[in-house]
Amino acid sequence: MTAVQGTAVDIPTEDGTADAYLAHPADGQPRPGVLLYMDAFGLRPQLRSMADRLAGAGYTVLVPNVFYRHGRAPVVELPEFIDPGARPEIFERIGPIMQSLTPELAMRDADAYLRQLAGSPATADGPVALTGYCMGARLALLTAGTYPERVAAAAGFHGGRLATDAPDSPHLVAGRVTAELYFGHADQDPSLPAEQIERLEDALTTAGVRHTCEVYSGAHHGYTQADTSAYDREGDERHWAALLDLLKRTF
């Protein structure tokens, strides 16, 4: 692991300014770019720590606050540790914000995030990779299908509602994806039942997308997030191994 530099940055978008966190090796050399999509709890110390770990492995990592239309992070105040008792009140506030981020708005923002990452002096030329968590896994898949020429690889972990019956379900972009994809599903995740896992797998296979879909046994939705009660150390380390392996193959 190399020394890491992390800074707050502002990203101009069509609808305002998104605050974000940028982490990269401190040696000043341009590195492959990774856009990290947050979970519903948002840009906070846990995600900055994850970005720093990725940066320490040799990447330039951008973590935008995708809820920026509702304020700078933290958009919703959070406890240091999110236990089951805190979740109902938190999601009562976060739920409407999540609902307001339509796929159309999210992909308009994605263009700005990708431009910001590609334009950073810390980022090497060429397509970037994506990784997303919970709702961020949906955004990663949608971005890979919306901007295929700018995305070389994408990963999603404990993603929910990836392959629904809705006309804007993320799996419907499979035919436009050219990146290699990896998904690490939680098997204790009501937001991604077995039929959606199968539907996603079928869509990716039919479209000829290079992909790996794995189900992490015993893992719950949010298993990578160490500041929550859903955290699972074994699942988290498996996630890191899979993500870094994907990035090594990509770059």
Side-chain angles (χ1 to χ4, degrees):
M1 299 287 283
T2 61
V4 168
Q5 179 178 342
T7 56
V9 297
D10 284 342
I11 305 172
T13 77
E14 290 189 30
D15 298 320
T17 301
D19 50 310
Y21 180 71
L22 181 72
H24 55 83
D27 60 11
Q29 297 299 311
R31 304 299 178 94
V34 179
L35 176 60
L36 191 160
Y37 275 123
M38 64 185 226
D39 63 351
F41 294 131
L43 180 54
R44 62 195 191 283
Q46 166 64 20
L47 292 189
R48 293 185 183 94
S49 174
M50 293 175 73
D52 288 347
R53 181 166 174 174
L54 262 183
Y59 302 97
T60 293
V61 187
L62 181 67
V63 191
N65 167 24
V66 304
F67 293 156
Y68 71 89
R69 291 176 179 83
H70 300 269
R72 300 179 72 86
V75 175
V76 172
E77 292 294 334
L78 301 169
E80 288 188 14
F81 184 79
I82 303 168
D83 60 30
R87 284 176 176 265
E89 182 181 349
I90 292 171
F91 275 100
E92 185 176 348
R93 290 176 286 163
I94 290 178
I97 297 173
M98 292 176 62
Q99 295 284 337
S100 70
L101 185 64
T102 64
E104 180 183 8
L105 289 177
M107 290 306 96
R108 194 159 75 202
D109 293 340
D111 174 59
Y113 304 152
L114 291 169
R115 281 189 282 106
Q116 179 78 22
L117 182 57
S120 170
T123 305
D125 293 339
V128 304
L130 317 171
T131 185
Y133 301 87
C134 301
M135 60 169 276
R138 294 200 305 273
L139 298 179
L141 178 53
L142 286 169
T143 302
T146 304
Y147 301 103
E149 72 286 354
R150 297 156 74 178
V151 178
F157 298 93
H158 45 82
R161 298 181 58 78
L162 293 173
T164 71
D165 293 326
D168 58 359
S169 176
H171 79 287
L172 297 176
V173 305
R176 303 196 297 273
V177 172
T178 58
E180 180 179 352
L181 304 184
Y182 177 90
F183 290 97
H185 305 308
D187 76 341
Q188 305 295 311
D189 190 349
S191 70
L192 194 75
E195 60 267 23
Q196 286 198 41
I197 293 176
E198 182 178 0
R199 187 180 294 145
L200 174 63
E201 175 77 26
D202 288 347
L204 297 175
T205 300
T206 299
V209 177
R210 292 168 297 151
H211 71 280
T212 301
C213 293
E214 296 184 319
V215 178
Y216 290 22
S217 179
H220 292 263
H221 186 81
Y223 63 80
T224 64
Q225 302 301 303
D227 61 348
T228 77
S229 57
Y231 180 69
D232 179 84
R233 182 176 297 277
E234 182 179 348
D236 184 33
E237 289 307 314
R238 183 177 175 183
H239 133 261
W240 280 111
L243 176 57
L244 292 173
D245 186 55
L246 174 67
L247 295 178
K248 287 176 184 176
R249 291 198 304 275
T250 302
F251 299 119

